[in-house]
């Protein structure tokens, strides 16, 4: 019997190890990790310097608020993936904390994706 299209792109070990709902949870997590990571980089490298060097506070306020709300969504998607993929508590906490550090969120997302796709626990 043919597998669904989403599951066929992933290794069979992933489907056996973590179940059918993990590929969708992984996609949600990856999207939110990138969105939060890009917003954090923009906040730290653009909006904060503009605030303190240019005296314009609005970009930092807008990006800071947006990042805060979207980090909450990222937190929920990461926890959902961690539960579905049976991540360790240590791996889950480190992944969540990495979302608060500029650039490190991209590294953590890549590691979590590779490890989860391999059918291993993060």
């Amino acid at each position: 019997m043919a597998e669904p299209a989403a599951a066929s792109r992933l290794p069979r070990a992933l489907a056996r190890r973590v179940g059918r709902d993990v590929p969708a949870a992984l996609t949600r997590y990856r999207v939110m990790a990138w969105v939060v990571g890009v917003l954090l980089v923009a906040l730290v490298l653009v909006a904060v310097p503009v605030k303190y060097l240019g005296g314009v506070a609005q970009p930092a306020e807008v990006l800071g608020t947006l990042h805060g709300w979207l980090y909450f969504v990222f937190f929920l998607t990461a926890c959902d993936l961690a539960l579905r993929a049976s991540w360790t508590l240590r791996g889950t906490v480190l992944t969540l904390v990495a979302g608060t550090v500029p650039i490190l969120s991209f590294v953590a997302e890549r590691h979590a994706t590779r490890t989860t796709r391999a059918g291993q626990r993060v």
Side-chain angles (χ1 to χ4, degrees):
M1 182 174 280
E3 296 180 36
S8 66
R9 285 185 249 145
L10 297 174
R12 290 183 187 195
L14 176 64
R16 281 193 310 268
R17 167 78 171 104
V18 295
R20 293 182 176 206
D21 296 332
V22 172
L26 182 61
T27 301
R28 287 189 299 269
Y29 162 75
R30 293 186 72 197
V31 167
M32 288 311 303
W34 273 90
V35 168
V36 168
V38 168
L39 278 175
L40 186 57
V41 168
L43 177 65
V44 171
L45 298 179
V46 177
V48 171
V50 166
K51 177 180 179 178
Y52 290 107
L53 298 176
V56 181
Q58 288 82 9
E61 292 171 359
V62 170
L63 285 178
T65 302
L66 187 59
H67 170 72
W69 282 104
L70 289 176
Y71 181 81
F72 178 68
V73 175
F74 164 78
F75 181 90
L76 293 177
T77 59
C79 288
D80 178 49
L81 177 61
L83 291 172
R84 292 176 192 271
S86 301
W87 286 3
T88 63
L89 180 60
R90 179 180 176 265
T92 303
V93 170
L94 289 175
T95 302
L96 292 172
V97 170
T100 64
V101 179
I103 308 299
L104 185 59
S105 61
F106 302 116
V107 175
E109 179 272 328
R110 193 72 211 136
H111 171 72
T113 299
R114 284 185 181 158
T115 305
T116 303
R117 282 186 175 165
Q120 300 170 350
R121 297 176 76 189
V122 173

